[in-house]
Amino acid sequence: NLAELRLYLIWSEGGGKRVRIYPVGIGREGWDTPLGEFQVSVVIDNPDWTPPASVREEDPELPGTVPPGPDNPLGSHWIGLTAEGVGVHGSNQPFGVGRRVSHGCIRLYPQDIVDLAGRVGPGTPVRIVDQPVKRIVRNGTLYLEVHRTAENPAEPSFPVGNWNREAIVEALQEARGLPVMIPPKI
């Protein structure tokens, strides 16, 4: 979910669902990470990085290829997607995780890419979404989690039903990034 800068790995195990959540860095303005349904096409340990022409235009001093190692911007693993030129990878600049700084790829912390690369393979489905508002009703109570984006909604995009509209609008405006309990309508 680009809006919350998180990657969710969901799998079935022992008759139930398991979830692992990783913080990510994503594409900056003009280099947006693509939305849609994709698959993992390849997982490469210790990848070389060949800067594409579009990146080379920004920095003509880049070498033709960066071998594996501490100077490689892909980090220790490359998980290629069926979205052309886009993948999930580590980073030699982990401060970019949690920010919009990449050229469209999804960056993970070094320890997280090692973990993720060991859990996925070619054919693994990937869905990239941009959902700033998450909501759930549990035991009759509405919870909203709203993440700050350039285009946060000012009004609810779902039926308000039995819940306090003013509290919903306040949660949308504050965009705390944490679940907020919405009281019932008075």
Side-chain angles (χ1 to χ4, degrees):
N1 185 0
L2 302 181
E4 68 180 312
L5 298 167
R6 294 288 183 267
L7 183 153
Y8 292 82
L9 176 64
I10 303 167
W11 73 97
S12 298
E13 185 177 289
K17 295 275 187 193
R18 302 277 305 196
V19 178
R20 195 167 284 252
I21 304 169
Y22 306 91
V24 299
I26 61 171
R28 65 184 183 194
E29 188 175 328
W31 294 90
D32 297 328
T33 301
L35 301 173
E37 306 277 337
F38 308 102
Q39 290 184 343
V40 171
S41 58
V42 66
V43 178
I44 301 173
D45 296 347
N46 300 311
D48 289 333
W49 179 57
T50 302
S54 56
V55 174
R56 191 173 293 292
E57 284 177 24
E58 284 186 0
D59 187 355
E61 302 297 315
L62 286 170
T65 299
V66 178
D71 296 330
N72 189 315
L74 300 181
S76 65
H77 292 79
W78 167 260
I79 300 172
L81 303 181
T82 53
E84 188 176 339
V86 176
V88 180
H89 60 81
S91 180
N92 64 344
Q93 300 177 353
F95 57 82
V97 173
R99 300 174 60 203
R100 290 168 164 75
V101 296
S102 80
H103 287 94
C105 287
I106 299 169
R107 294 182 182 180
L108 275 74
Y109 286 122
Q111 67 274 17
D112 289 344
I113 191 63
V114 171
D115 182 75
L116 181 63
R119 296 176 183 275
V120 301
T124 301
V126 176
R127 185 171 61 141
I128 302 175
V129 299
D130 187 11
Q131 297 175 333
V133 179
K134 297 191 313 186
R135 63 187 167 112
I136 186 170
V137 176
R138 176 160 275 154
N139 298 326
T141 301
L142 172 65
Y143 295 89
L144 286 182
E145 183 176 320
V146 183
H147 295 270
R148 188 160 309 284
T149 66
E151 299 175 12
N152 272 90
E155 290 291 324
S157 60
F158 54 89
V160 172
N162 297 323
W163 294 284
N164 184 308
R165 180 181 184 74
E166 288 149 5
I168 293 171
V169 170
E170 182 178 328
L172 293 172
Q173 290 171 347
E174 290 183 356
R176 293 183 186 169
L178 299 169
V180 175
M181 186 175 76
I182 303 298
K185 201 184 284 186
I186 298 176

